Amino acid sequence: MSTILTITNLTKTYGKLTAVNNLSFTINKGNVYGILGPNGSGKSTTLGIALNVVNKTSGEFKWFNGNLSTHEALKKIGAIIERPNFYPYMTAYKNLKLVCKIKDIPEQKIDEKLELVGLLERKHSKFKTFSLGMKQRLAIASALLNDPEILILDEPTNGLDPQGIHQIRSLIKDIASKGTTILLASHLLDEVEKVCSHVVVLRKGEKLYEGPVDQMITSNGFFELKSDNNAELIKFLNDHKNITSVKENDQIITAFLDQPMSASAFNQDCFNAGIRLSHLVLRKESLEEQFLQLTVQLN
Ligand code: ADP
Ligand code: MG
């Protein structure tokens, strides 16, 4: 597996504020990575440092195993970290032609990339006539002109309508399926779940999780319970092998599971121990709730 980007113990401070805190992670070729975290968690700062537009305070980052100069490495990267900035009165084609000139890319690439993002029919329309979603797709076409190894996007669907969001997300998956590695920052769990294979979860600049999206949050759920003798029930729960923690609130007892268990199997255990339940419900937090717990801002 070849490595595209390695970040090691990266820290960025602004005065007293630590925007990125001792962050390490690795981006390997061929995956779709998300940097997920609430607003202000350090996503854009991390991308800015890796792209040489923000100075790091300490730590390291290395592109493509460190065999290339940063200047050479940046030629193999396509990135959109700011609002797309094109000339409003120039056509889509002419705007991209200008990018080709600046980056020394053959003009023949333009139609190929416009087709990929679904804008070939609109190549002679002025940029200012485009919807926000089309502008974003043009920016993606522009970032792909040099056939980069990795495409970096910061909050790629921000401000778009549902249709625009859908188009951008399927475009990202489409680009990834053709072999381009993708790194995107998002504050939306839903987006990362839909688009990414791997995720780095940030809170206040610190990494909470790194790994496959489908292993990000594993919860086996919890029982909501009531009995005539809650004290006895709590004692039983504390001794039960599947229960990790117990909370009591307004006569309702919440018992968290560390492995899957059916309500009926649990009811049987209680019955065998001589405990009769007047209330038993098995619940599972939604991913959204679990994510909020994972990233809840601690004071
Ligand atoms: P995110 O992209 O996750 O929303 P940012 O990386 O933009 O987060 O910001 C992380 C933290 O750093 C925030 O608290 C933000 O206010 C602060 N920050 C970002 N850029 C600057 C700057 N140029 N000067 C001072 N503070 C900044
Ligand atoms: Mg940001």
Side-chain angles (χ1 to χ4, degrees), residues 141-161:
S142 172
L144 292 174
L145 281 170
N146 59 338
D147 292 318
E149 295 228 11
I150 180 169
L151 177 65
I152 298 178
L153 305 163
D154 194 357
E155 308 269 7
T157 61
N158 258 13
L160 303 187
D161 62 16

Side-chain angles (χ1 to χ4, degrees), residues 68-134:
L68 298 172
S69 69
T70 306
H71 181 72
E72 286 303 310
L74 288 173
K75 284 190 188 166
K76 298 174 38 157
I77 299 164
I80 309 169
I81 55 171
E82 279 163 7
R83 277 248 156 267
N85 202 2
F86 292 105
Y87 289 98
Y89 291 95
M90 264 166 46
T91 64
Y93 189 88
K94 286 199 169 143
N95 268 295
L96 293 191
K97 198 170 152 183
L98 201 58
V99 176
C100 284
K101 254 198 186 130
I102 293 165
K103 294 192 180 168
D104 197 20
I105 297 163
E107 201 181 317
Q108 294 86 285
K109 283 280 165 194
I110 298 176
D111 279 2
E112 175 196 325
K113 302 307 174 190
L114 283 174
E115 166 134 58
L116 175 66
V117 304
L119 287 175
L120 193 56
E121 285 79 58
R122 297 294 303 272
K123 67 192 259 194
H124 296 307
S125 300
K126 287 180 177 145
F127 177 69
K128 69 171 182 123
T129 67
F130 281 7
S131 70
L132 217 52
M134 291 163 79

Side-chain angles (χ1 to χ4, degrees), residues 24-260:
S24 303
F25 65 86
T26 305
I27 302 291
N28 291 316
K29 192 174 167 60
N31 295 319
V32 181
Y33 289 84
I35 302 183
L36 175 65
N39 287 330
S41 56
K43 304 180 297 293
S44 297
T45 304
T46 304
L47 296 183
I49 292 170
L51 292 168
N52 262 11
V53 295
V54 175
N55 291 323
K56 64 189 165 99
T57 302
S58 62
E60 296 300 329
F61 65 91
K62 219 167 56 179
W63 284 105
F64 309 110
N65 294 316
N67 300 329
L68 298 172
S69 69
T70 306
H71 181 72
E72 286 303 310
L74 288 173
K75 284 190 188 166
K76 298 174 38 157
I77 299 164
I80 309 169
I81 55 171
E82 279 163 7
R83 277 248 156 267
N85 202 2
F86 292 105
Y87 289 98
Y89 291 95
M90 264 166 46
T91 64
Y93 189 88
K94 286 199 169 143
N95 268 295
L96 293 191
K97 198 170 152 183
L98 201 58
V99 176
C100 284
K101 254 198 186 130
I102 293 165
K103 294 192 180 168
D104 197 20
I105 297 163
E107 201 181 317
Q108 294 86 285
K109 283 280 165 194
I110 298 176
D111 279 2
E112 175 196 325
K113 302 307 174 190
L114 283 174
E115 166 134 58
L116 175 66
V117 304
L119 287 175
L120 193 56
E121 285 79 58
R122 297 294 303 272
K123 67 192 259 194
H124 296 307
S125 300
K126 287 180 177 145
F127 177 69
K128 69 171 182 123
T129 67
F130 281 7
S131 70
L132 217 52
M134 291 163 79
K135 288 176 175 170
Q136 181 69 321
R137 284 188 278 140
L138 186 66
I140 292 175
S142 172
L144 292 174
L145 281 170
N146 59 338
D147 292 318
E149 295 228 11
I150 180 169
L151 177 65
I152 298 178
L153 305 163
D154 194 357
E155 308 269 7
T157 61
N158 258 13
L160 303 187
D161 62 16
Q163 194 199 358
I165 291 173
H166 180 74
Q167 285 172 336
I168 294 289
R169 288 179 183 167
S170 37
L171 176 58
I172 293 170
K173 286 193 262 190
D174 195 26
I175 294 165
S177 73
K178 296 189 166 85
T180 308
T181 305
I182 298 200
L183 172 60
L184 67 89
S186 176
H187 66 284
L188 303 169
L189 170 66
D190 172 54
E191 178 150 293
V192 168
E193 270 193 284
K194 286 199 171 105
V195 177
C196 302
S197 57
H198 291 70
V199 66
V200 175
V201 181
L202 293 186
R203 180 188 64 202
K204 292 190 167 182
E206 274 183 67
K207 183 174 75 181
L208 295 182
Y209 172 82
E210 174 185 11
V213 168
D214 56 11
Q215 288 166 32
M216 167 169 47
I217 298 163
T218 50
S219 166
N220 297 297
F222 54 90
F223 290 121
E224 257 180 32
L225 308 165
K226 251 182 177 177
S227 82
D228 297 338
N229 187 343
N230 273 354
E232 188 190 24
L233 174 58
I234 288 171
K235 185 173 178 306
F236 166 75
L237 291 170
N238 285 332
D239 292 340
H240 194 286
K241 63 176 185 357
N242 293 2
I243 304 293
T244 51
S245 66
V246 179
K247 272 194 321 201
E248 189 176 9
N249 205 344
D250 274 344
Q251 303 287 306
I252 300 249
I253 293 172
T254 309
F256 294 88
L257 284 163
D258 70 355
Q259 53 181 284

